[in-house]
Amino acid sequence: GVIWVVLGTILFSSKAIMVKFMYQLGIGSLELQTLRMLFVLPFYLAILLWSLKRTGLGSLTKKELLFCVAAGIACYHVASYLDLLGLQYISAGLERIILFCYPAIAILFSKWFLKEKPNRKIWLALALSYMGILVFFYADLSFGGEHIVWGSFLVFVASIFTAWYMVANQRFSRQIGSQRFVSIGMISAATSLLIHSFVV
């Protein structure tokens, strides 16, 4: 499990650099996200159909299904879009640092909604992390750049939505499996994003 999380983190961290490269080619935030969703949508549809064929949807109620849909849209549509917008104003390094606030926010959400109490070591790790974020932000601020505060704010809001998704993932993956939860979330986000793109 740890190996998969580390591998996912490495891939997740490389995204900002790729996005910055795409911006240099003249691709906008919405266009980039639309291309991304068009690419992944068939894969997640196939995974969901395969998973449902094997074991069904389980004991998921309509209310819980709507919560999974909302969590997917919050993370993969809203958070991703805000993150891409923020990257137009700040460096890839600062964007990753701010976005990786989401574990700390997820811990707070878990405490409030799942009644899980973090221990002292976690609080110490969070404090050290935020000190690092402040140092990194100050360094970027000293180098200049227009709208750095606005860009940082957009990415921070994205981290809040990402944290909410992570807590929902923890809650519902145990019930219906991670494949089905992620597939439902991605298909929902792809649908809402493509509607957004079409309207724009």
Side-chain angles (χ1 to χ4, degrees):
V2 172
I3 291 172
W4 283 119
V5 170
V6 170
L7 180 60
T9 302
I10 292 170
L11 293 172
F12 189 56
S13 299
S14 66
K15 187 189 81 171
I17 297 169
M18 296 179 191
V19 170
K20 282 288 192 180
F21 178 71
M22 294 293 121
Y23 283 163
Q24 291 178 357
L25 298 177
I27 299 175
S29 301
L30 186 58
E31 292 85 355
L32 183 58
Q33 196 177 9
T34 302
L35 287 171
R36 175 192 180 196
M37 287 301 186
L38 285 172
F39 179 79
V40 302
L41 181 57
F43 293 97
Y44 281 101
L45 283 169
I47 293 169
L48 181 61
L49 290 173
W50 173 75
S51 179
L52 290 176
K53 188 176 180 181
R54 285 176 59 229
T55 55
L57 198 56
S59 60
L60 199 66
T61 65
K62 288 183 179 180
K63 183 178 180 181
E64 291 169 335
L65 178 61
L66 286 174
F67 198 94
C68 293
V69 168
I73 292 172
C75 180
Y76 293 114
H77 179 177
V78 179
S80 293
Y81 183 62
L82 293 175
D83 182 44
L84 291 176
L85 288 178
L87 266 170
Q88 293 179 335
Y89 307 111
I90 62 177
S91 68
L94 179 58
E95 181 267 351
R96 291 289 93 176
I97 291 291
I98 296 173
L99 191 62
F100 273 91
C101 287
Y102 79 81
I105 301 168
I107 288 170
L108 293 176
F109 284 170
S110 295
K111 180 182 178 182
W112 294 332
F113 301 118
L114 301 180
K115 308 304 179 184
E116 295 181 355
K117 294 183 179 180
N119 58 40
R120 290 183 179 180
K121 289 183 179 179
I122 291 178
W123 288 119
L124 178 60
L126 293 180
L128 290 171
S129 298
Y130 279 102
M131 287 172 61
I133 290 168
L134 290 173
V135 170
F136 208 106
F137 180 79
Y138 178 76
D140 257 44
L141 197 63
S142 64
F143 280 117
E146 295 183 5
H147 309 299
I148 187 173
V149 174
W150 174 241
S152 299
F153 172 75
L154 289 173
V155 175
F156 183 72
V157 174
S159 73
I160 294 174
F161 281 107
T162 303
W164 179 41
Y165 173 82
M166 291 299 169
V167 173
N169 190 356
Q170 181 181 347
R171 163 70 173 79
F172 292 104
S173 288
R174 295 171 181 172
Q175 184 175 346
I176 63 171
S178 59
Q179 287 181 339
R180 276 166 287 185
F181 176 78
V182 174
S183 295
I184 291 170
M186 284 298 297
I187 292 167
S188 304
T191 302
S192 64
L193 188 278
L194 292 175
I195 293 171
H196 175 191
S197 181
F198 177 78
V199 170
V200 171

